[in-house]
Amino acid sequence: MVFDHGDDHYYVVWETTCTSGKSIFEWWADANNDIDTSRHVIEPWYRKIDNNHHRYSVIFGPVTGSTRVHYKNGPSNFRAILSSAQKTYSKRRTSPDAILHVGDTIQSVRKLSEWQTHLFSPVEDVGGFLHSVPFVYVPGNHDHDKKRGSGNMNYYMDMYHGIYNTGGLRSEKVANGDYHRFYHSVSLGSARVIALDAECPSKEQSEFLVRELQSESFQNAHFRIVAVHIPPFIEFWDPFAWNHKNEKHWGEHVRLEYDPLFRKYGVDLVISGHQHNYQRSTIRRNGPPADDDTITYAIVGGAGGVIDYDRVEDWKMYNATYTGFHYVLLDVSDKELQWSAYDVSGVVIDQFKIQR
């Protein structure tokens, strides 16, 4: 599986049921459609998940000015969503440049089989995306194993621990209590995307967020985007869990701490999941912490789990709501961002543009 590592580098991970001996990774690029004969060989990092799951990973790059990069190494609702998206791209005779997943890829983080049936197989079987389109991954609450102990150090999330931290990838095990830090940023065309880990707020992540929001890469981007699993403003949830299990307080830091920073530093678009339906709002506000800010908030949470129909809050802000399975195609050109949300049959349910 391929992940966008940022700054023209990519992270590739694969798994075998037994060790591969001396495994070698080789990559090369087409430059201006002419085959570049320069090939690069990398020895992968290895981590044992358990006796039947062996993980290998590499980071390669930089890749600039190339149209294609090559490398080689020695049934779900999500599948239906991907199938519909692939049909849409087939009409365009093109493929996505990246796939943004805003979390909850699986239901139970300790069931290794779910990673295969809910994520890896659909991604590969439907569009051949697993090793052809880089993922920008934002973890959700179901993707975390927060009850880490001495007997469960090698569950599947260990496979991705340190995905954006080269040092973390080299370690064969993850220490007890060492949570997965997934916050990072990538450039996608004229857009800059900050991915936050809503499940593991920390001083380090808060400092990273401010530093990235202030950075030239973010401020000079034509479109400034934040992706975070838990939305700042949730309206639909299970009423009992919301009111009696304190789930209304999950991720409050996203609204109370992060959202004022989004406003202050000119974020254009906040993309979330968590809530299992679709909502979108473009709102303009005046007053602290910004004199004049306009942000579009979008919840894209209908790619597999049971749809949420029960309203538990009313923020009086959303322009569009859809209670059904869906996906979004995001087209970013130099001066225009086009957002198109589709239902599983490929019918447009919502659209908007941001223009510069």
Side-chain angles (χ1 to χ4, degrees):
M1 194 168 189
V2 190
F3 295 85
D4 193 321
H5 194 268
D7 299 324
D8 301 315
H9 284 70
Y10 295 88
Y11 169 61
V12 181
V13 60
W14 67 97
E15 179 191 292
T16 62
T17 56
C18 58
T19 55
S20 299
K22 185 68 173 179
S23 184
I24 293 296
F25 179 94
E26 183 180 18
W27 72 274
W28 65 100
D30 292 355
N32 299 321
N33 293 320
D34 295 324
I35 296 296
D36 182 357
T37 58
S38 177
R39 297 197 175 203
H40 310 268
V41 176
I42 305 173
E43 182 176 348
W45 296 308
Y46 166 77
R47 179 180 291 155
K48 180 179 178 181
I49 306 301
D50 61 24
N51 289 334
N52 298 311
H53 298 82
H54 302 267
R55 190 218 67 181
Y56 296 87
S57 61
V58 298
I59 295 174
F60 73 91
V63 179
T64 57
S66 300
T67 56
R68 291 182 297 174
V69 178
H70 310 266
Y71 64 87
K72 62 181 181 180
N73 49 55
S76 75
N77 289 319
F78 185 48
R79 186 186 302 270
I81 296 295
L82 284 171
S83 179
S84 181
Q86 173 65 358
K87 290 177 182 177
T88 303
Y89 273 107
S90 295
K91 294 176 183 177
R92 302 181 176 193
R93 297 184 179 180
T94 185
S95 294
D97 295 310
I99 296 175
L100 171 64
H101 197 301
V102 286
D104 283 357
T105 51
I106 45 84
Q107 178 67 23
S108 303
V109 69
R110 301 189 186 189
K111 292 183 179 179
L112 302 189
S113 61
E114 286 192 6
W115 290 92
Q116 187 66 42
T117 59
H118 292 22
L119 179 62
F120 302 140
S121 289
V123 169
E124 182 61 18
D125 295 347
V126 171
F129 294 147
L130 197 65
H131 288 284
S132 63
V133 178
F135 263 61
V136 178
Y137 180 57
V138 180
N141 51 294
H142 285 280
D143 304 324
H144 275 278
D145 186 356
K146 290 189 173 182
K147 296 181 180 178
R148 184 180 305 284
S150 59
N152 66 324
M153 291 179 65
N154 285 323
Y155 283 105
Y156 219 99
M157 278 297 288
D158 288 353
M159 184 172 184
Y160 299 104
H161 176 81
I163 187 173
Y164 299 103
N165 179 338
T166 305
L169 289 170
R170 291 191 176 94
S171 62
E172 293 192 3
K173 291 184 178 181
V174 179
N176 290 348
D178 189 4
Y179 287 166
H180 315 285
R181 307 296 187 189
F182 277 88
Y183 50 86
H184 63 285
S185 57
V186 299
S187 293
L188 299 175
S190 59
R192 185 72 171 176
V193 181
I194 300 176
L196 297 176
D197 188 345
E199 289 304 299
C200 294
S202 64
K203 177 186 176 192
E204 292 78 13
Q205 179 167 248
S206 296
E207 291 173 346
F208 159 82
L209 175 58
V210 172
R211 187 168 61 248
E212 179 62 28
L213 289 170
Q214 293 174 338
S215 70
E216 289 187 8
S217 296
F218 193 77
Q219 288 299 315
N220 292 338
H222 287 174
F223 304 102
R224 298 180 288 271
I225 302 172
V226 172
V228 58
H229 176 67
I230 299 179
F233 305 98
I234 297 175
E235 290 196 340
F236 291 83
W237 202 251
D238 175 77
F240 180 82
W242 187 259
N243 293 305
H244 301 289
K245 297 176 69 175
N246 288 322
E247 292 186 9
K248 65 167 61 179
H249 300 298
W250 283 3
E252 280 187 327
H253 60 285
V254 177
R255 184 178 75 257
L256 300 177
E257 179 188 354
Y258 298 166
D259 188 57
L261 294 173
F262 301 162
R263 296 183 59 195
K264 180 178 180 179
Y265 291 104
V267 170
D268 298 306
L269 175 61
V270 178
I271 307 173
S272 302
H274 196 54
Q275 174 181 299
H276 292 186
N277 55 32
Y278 176 87
Q279 289 192 289
R280 191 266 303 175
S281 173
T282 300
I283 58 175
R284 182 174 181 176
R285 289 168 287 194
N286 291 288
D291 292 333
D292 184 6
D293 68 282
T294 300
I295 300 181
T296 296
Y297 298 90
I299 301 174
V300 186
V306 177
I307 296 296
D308 287 324
Y309 295 100
D310 295 314
R311 184 184 292 274
V312 292
E313 296 285 353
D314 185 359
W315 292 99
K316 302 185 186 303
M317 59 179 278
Y318 286 104
N319 309 111
T321 297
Y322 176 74
T323 52
F325 295 120
H326 59 273
Y327 60 94
V328 170
L329 302 188
L330 190 60
D331 292 313
V332 180
S333 61
D334 184 42
K335 297 288 182 72
E336 182 177 278
L337 181 152
Q338 170 73 51
W339 173 285
S340 301
Y342 298 82
D343 68 14
V344 73
S345 63
V347 176
V348 175
I349 58 174
D350 186 39
Q351 285 183 316
F352 68 88
K353 291 181 180 180
I354 301 176
Q355 295 177 314
R356 295 293 182 240

